[in-house]
Amino acid sequence: MTLETQQSVKGNDPDRTIISAALTGALTTRDQCEAIPYTPEEIAKDAAAARESGAAIAHIHARTDEGEQTVDTETYQEIYDAVRDRTDILINFSTGAVGFPVEERTEYLREVGPDIAALNMGSMNYAKYSEEREDFVFNMVFENPFDDIRAFVRAMNDAGVKPELECFDTGHIGSIRPFLQSGELEHPLQFSLIMGVLGGIPASVENLAHQVRQLPDDATWQVIGISEDQWPLVAAALSMGGNVRVGLEDNFYLPNGEMSTNPGLVERAAEMSRNVGREPATPDEARDIMGVA
């Protein structure tokens, strides 16, 4: 069976892989990995290098110069300008943050207007547990009630920003229904299937196939594997016709266990894509495949 005839391709391009680079995250620090960028210029430099390595999208959380998460509109504007000065990569802003009001997390979408923005589709326990330490590395509740989801959808629509529907479990995929009925979400939809977060769906090829079966036929989708689960899921998604996200937000290491950088992780994903006969998409090709304005 060729990729063209596999139902798992959905709305993706079987000959092109859209690679996203998640550059910073909100919780990762330089104490964990020295290569994590904090400042707008550092983020822009990594975005440009990731583009050269094969990424079409840069997924970005704003950080202060000291590495703290921030939702400051001015900082997001500085990041946007610095990235756009260096590269044509599509810019994807996160809206996920704990402890910041929705109003502040929608202001930078309206004011800056990235190409894409993450839209978390449900609430969940969100944790990382260390079996070696027999304790939680972090443990919190990630709240995304429907009223908040609607506020983000409307802000994205007002700003002409493509929503990226981040789904950590099967129920999150089903959460699209009221917004499709109201017309606030429209086909084709872009999904990110996050796997391996404690509190969400466990990372496995079987669960990835299950998640993809729930998607609309014309949806585009990518897999986001967390930590050591990343590379097996990347391999599976590429074979299924899916797109992939790599980067230091999700995982620090190459398949051989060597700590890497954002462009290094993208380079390995691009190599894996070519190994299954799929060329990494350019930003313009990704824009066309995903229906980004």
Side-chain angles (χ1 to χ4, degrees):
M1 178 179 289
T2 63
L3 279 182
E4 286 84 352
T5 60
Q6 287 184 187
Q7 292 183 354
S8 59
V9 175
K10 299 288 182 173
N12 291 339
D13 187 329
D15 299 318
R16 293 286 184 273
T17 302
I18 300 171
I19 300 174
S20 295
L23 303 178
T24 56
L27 301 175
T28 51
T29 70
R30 287 185 182 154
D31 291 336
Q32 299 166 316
C33 176
E34 293 182 356
I36 294 171
Y38 286 168
T39 70
E41 283 302 319
E42 290 168 350
I43 291 170
K45 182 179 178 180
D46 260 23
R51 164 72 171 98
E52 292 301 311
S53 295
I57 300 171
H59 175 74
I60 298 168
H61 291 250
R63 309 287 283 267
T64 67
D65 290 353
E66 294 74 36
E68 298 296 323
Q69 65 173 323
T70 180
V71 296
D72 177 62
T73 296
E74 184 176 342
T75 302
Y76 269 107
Q77 185 68 64
E78 291 176 2
I79 292 170
Y80 181 93
D81 292 342
V83 172
R84 192 51 70 233
D85 284 345
R86 286 178 175 264
T87 177
D88 64 345
I89 198 167
L90 297 180
I91 297 174
N92 178 336
F93 282 167
S94 173
T95 62
V98 176
F100 295 95
V102 171
E103 293 76 12
E104 293 182 14
R105 292 153 59 198
T106 55
E107 180 182 350
Y108 59 83
L109 297 180
R110 298 180 191 275
E111 293 297 323
V112 182
D115 301 295
I116 306 164
L119 177 62
N120 295 283
M121 293 303 296
S123 301
M124 60 183 294
N125 289 326
Y126 193 106
K128 182 176 182 180
Y129 182 78
S130 170
E131 294 184 4
E132 181 179 349
R133 291 161 47 182
E134 296 185 351
D135 197 6
F136 289 97
V137 178
F138 57 82
N139 178 15
M140 60 187 179
V141 175
F142 189 30
E143 295 185 4
N144 295 289
F146 281 109
D147 286 346
D148 288 2
I149 295 172
R150 172 158 277 137
F152 283 117
V153 170
R154 289 177 174 175
M156 292 177 196
N157 288 342
D158 290 346
V161 175
K162 176 78 173 183
E164 174 206 7
L165 311 181
E166 292 205 343
C167 299
F168 294 79
D169 216 334
T170 304
H172 293 176
I173 297 173
S175 294
I176 65 175
R177 291 197 300 271
F179 303 106
L180 285 172
Q181 185 172 0
S182 69
E184 291 165 304
L185 285 179
E186 296 181 354
H187 293 285
L189 303 174
Q190 159 64 17
F191 288 85
S192 288
L193 306 175
I194 303 101
M195 309 185 72
V197 174
L198 184 60
I201 193 167
S204 72
V205 175
E206 182 179 17
N207 281 344
L208 175 59
H210 170 74
Q211 292 288 80
V212 173
R213 281 194 293 269
Q214 313 309 309
L215 304 180
D217 289 340
D218 62 349
T220 56
W221 64 273
Q222 69 173 355
V223 72
I224 302 174
I226 303 302
S227 193
E228 67 270 11
D229 296 315
Q230 183 172 87
W231 295 112
L233 291 174
V234 166
L238 290 171
S239 299
M240 294 167 64
N243 302 315
V244 299
R245 188 177 100 176
V246 295
L248 296 176
E249 174 176 349
D250 306 322
N251 166 52
F252 303 147
Y253 301 99
L254 295 169
N256 65 2
E258 176 186 347
M259 186 171 281
S260 189
T261 62
N262 281 310
L265 295 169
V266 171
E267 184 176 353
R268 180 54 59 91
E271 177 186 358
M272 293 173 67
S273 179
R274 293 186 177 103
N275 286 343
V276 298
R278 302 179 65 201
E279 189 67 21
T282 67
D284 284 344
E285 289 170 338
R287 189 184 294 276
D288 182 60
I289 293 166
M290 296 171 60
V292 176

